[in-house]
Structure formats: structure tokens, C-alpha cells
Amino acid sequence: VALGTNDAKTRLADVRDQLVNRYKVIVLDLVRLEPRLQAIFLCAPVPILRSGGDFDADSLRFVNDGAMSDYVEEVVAWARTGLAIHVGFIDHAAAMWDAVTDSGDPIDDFYKDVIHPDARGARVLGLSAAAALDAWYANTPPREPADWGWPSCAAPAGTRSFRLESEDEKPATNCVFDGQIVEDGVDYNQESNAAGSLSYRNVGEFGVVQVTDGLRALFYVDYCSTPCVTESFRLESYLDPPLPRPRVSIYVPGRIESARVGRRRGSTVETVVDVDESSDPDTSTDNWGYYEDSWLWAQGGLRADFEVTYCMTDLDPACTTTQVEIESASFQYASMAFPEPITRARIFSVESTTVLYPLPPIDFVVTPSTPVDATTNWGISESDLWIDKGLAAKVYVTHCPPSPTAKPTLAPTDATDAPTNAPTDTPTDTPTDTPTD
């Protein structure tokens, strides 16, 4: 899997906080869709030759100085602790720089444009990938198809029951499904003579049940589905001065399921009232929609509040999202405390007219890792929402319990290590000579 270069375009600041979570979802989807998968290799993207078009100086620094590679390696480390298959890392960036150094030729000789290698560059990447595959194969030869056993979940996604089967001396068999397993949420009816072993855990928003060493059983699992919510998002596009913004967009912190116009705020009429599938604003004939699952957009002078239903793929089901109004009166610092740690906040609408400092864009989303400088006029800190420099706004704040249930449990509990049919060694009650009343 080699992803990431297009996420380094000029909207980099909008997607950087989501890169790791989105990559994790892709990895888990691959495991769920192909239960016989034996290995996944994640690749660091090749260098970008120069800025231009959709790639600016920040894009070059992010990819060429190693930050993007660090993100990929973070996903690799996470996957290695939570998945039963081999997860490898292929550093295409380092391979390309090494090839340039060894040849003495300019790096342009390995590319057909600023991001795509030509035949010579592709050979470098192929040899890099082959070396990683050879090293894996030498230590763990891939299983033959006859060894794969019964493939993963026999029941459709979203059910609470499924059957898993493994063979003696064979590798683990997994069931990966949408939702987080609740505490003590796994029960089963054993169907094999072999005791085998069982483990289960949560990896992000997914639950994983695994059997090995001949265990075959029908499982019953209690789990919490990924939470979906409906919230309002305001977009205002303008065709005329003093605010010419023919197209505007906003990042929705989750996967959009559907959207509709809730309240029109201008004279331009929406071309469609509700949508439930993605559309590209560059080719769409409508004046609003959503793109790539998480970008709500409006154009052509449409101004409206949109009711959007989306699933928060990276949040705990126990999290709460609240809309509040906060104001920096007389340009003074102000804050608002919440009962739980804040994971993200976004401005729904700006209610002030101050121009002392640039107003934040309405689509600005902050997380605990968002940088703050001398000109920043709002943000979050631990369990506080703060605002400054004359800004007043309506803000959506998402806050979660201190110990989220979505935190991965990377090791099975003692109770789940292995099933047993053996009775306990001692009785649970002690006989007594004294009768009860």
C-alpha cells in the first residue's frame, strides 16, 4: 500500500490530523475484506521534485523531510501490535535518494513529472519492494492455499454471531467487524475437540476475534457500532465583492452518510435538497454536495445551513458533541470548561465583526495537536475551550471520557486465553452442620 502524496497538496493542514486514522481504517478494511491475507507492506512515498500546481513549499517539506514517512511508520507500529498478520515497511523515499546518489545522475532522470517515477524510477521502487518481500519470505514462507482454513466471518457484517474455525498447527483465523467489543462481551459454543486458544481485542473502532490451534466455535459478541450523528454546517459562497468566494468547502470530521439543506441564508436557490452520494464540485452541475466522503462544498453564490449525518470513525461512542457560544468581550481572553477532555472543536459561525486579527475560516477545525501562535484567537486546552482578541463564535465541541473504550486492548485478558471444560478444583460452597432458618 503506497498512499499519501496527494494528501500533501495545498490543503495539507486540513487533512494532516486525519492521515493516521484514515490509514488505519484502510488497513483494517483490507484485513476484513480478505481474511486469507498473510502480509501487508506500507510504503513511504517517493520525493516530490519541486513545488508547483497543487504542491507548495509546505508539501515538499512534509514529504521530502520525512514527516510523511514518520506517519506511515506510526501506522506500521500500531498494526504490528494489533493484527495477527505480518506488517512490513518499505521506504521508497530512501530507495530513490540512494539510487540518485549511487548513479550520480540528477533526480529528474528518474521521474516523468514532479511526483511520478518513469521506467527507471519504477525499477528502483520494484527492487526496493522485492527486497522487503524476500526478507519476509525467508523468515516466514507464505502459506499454501490448502492451509488457509475456513475464511473468517461466515455471517454478514453487522451481526452479533459468527463462526470461526482453525486447524491444528495452523496460523490464526480472525474475524474483524465494525464496532468495539464491550467488556466481557464475547461468549461462544465450542464445536471442536481441540481446546485451541481464543483472544479478542479492540483496534481503533474495530473489534477483532481470533482463534488458533484447532479451536472451532460459534461466537456471540456484544459490541458498540461506530457512532453516527447529525449536525449543522454553515457554508456561504459569494459571487460578488466585497467577499468573492465562488466556492467554499468544510471538512466534516467523519464519513458523510447523507446531507440536506436545512435553512437557506441567501437568495440563491439550491439545485438539490438532499444528497446521499459523493460528487466532485469541478464536474457537478449542482451548487452543493459532498466529496471524498468528508468534504462538504457549496458554490455559485449558495449560502445555507446544511444538516449533515456522518459517522465519526475515529471517536469513542461515549463522546459527546455540544454546540456552545463563546465571546472574547472587550478583546479579553475567555474560556469555558468541559467535564471531560476535548478531542476536537470547530467553529460553526463567527458572531463578531472585529478585524483586529484575521477571523478564522468557518471551516477551521482544531484538535489538541493544532499549533498555537501569537495571532491565534481560539483553541482548546485539555478540558477548556478558549477564545481571545475580540472573537465571538458558535462552536461545536467534542469531549470524551478520560478512559475511552475505543483504546485498543492489545493483549487478551486471562479469561480469554484459552477455553476449558475442566471443573474447578474446589467446591464453591462449604458444607455446614447448622441448618438455615
Side-chain angles (χ1 to χ4, degrees), residues 79-210:
R80 284 173 174 170
T81 60
L83 298 179
I85 64 173
H86 175 80
V87 181
F89 175 67
I90 300 175
D91 196 341
H92 281 332
M96 188 65 77
W97 287 123
D98 288 346
V100 171
T101 301
D102 293 343
S103 69
D105 296 330
I107 192 171
D108 290 65
D109 288 357
F110 293 81
Y111 283 73
K112 61 183 179 182
D113 55 38
V114 295
I115 62 172
H116 296 107
D118 59 12
R120 187 180 183 186
R123 177 176 173 79
V124 172
L125 305 189
L127 292 173
S128 174
L133 289 167
D134 286 343
W136 166 63
Y137 189 93
N139 294 312
T140 310
R143 290 170 277 149
E144 294 300 321
D147 294 338
W148 281 339
W150 199 357
S152 196
C153 299
T159 62
R160 291 176 178 266
S161 63
F162 52 88
R163 181 174 280 100
L164 284 181
E165 177 179 358
S166 68
E167 302 290 342
D168 294 338
E169 308 300 330
K170 295 297 188 286
T173 303
N174 295 320
C175 178
V176 182
F177 54 92
D178 291 312
Q180 299 149 2
I181 303 172
V182 303
E183 186 175 0
D184 299 323
V186 175
D187 195 8
Y188 62 94
N189 290 331
Q190 186 167 331
E191 299 176 348
S192 59
N193 293 325
S197 63
L198 156 72
S199 65
Y200 61 88
R201 59 198 176 277
N202 290 319
V203 184
E205 71 275 17
F206 294 89
V208 181
V209 177
Q210 179 185 102

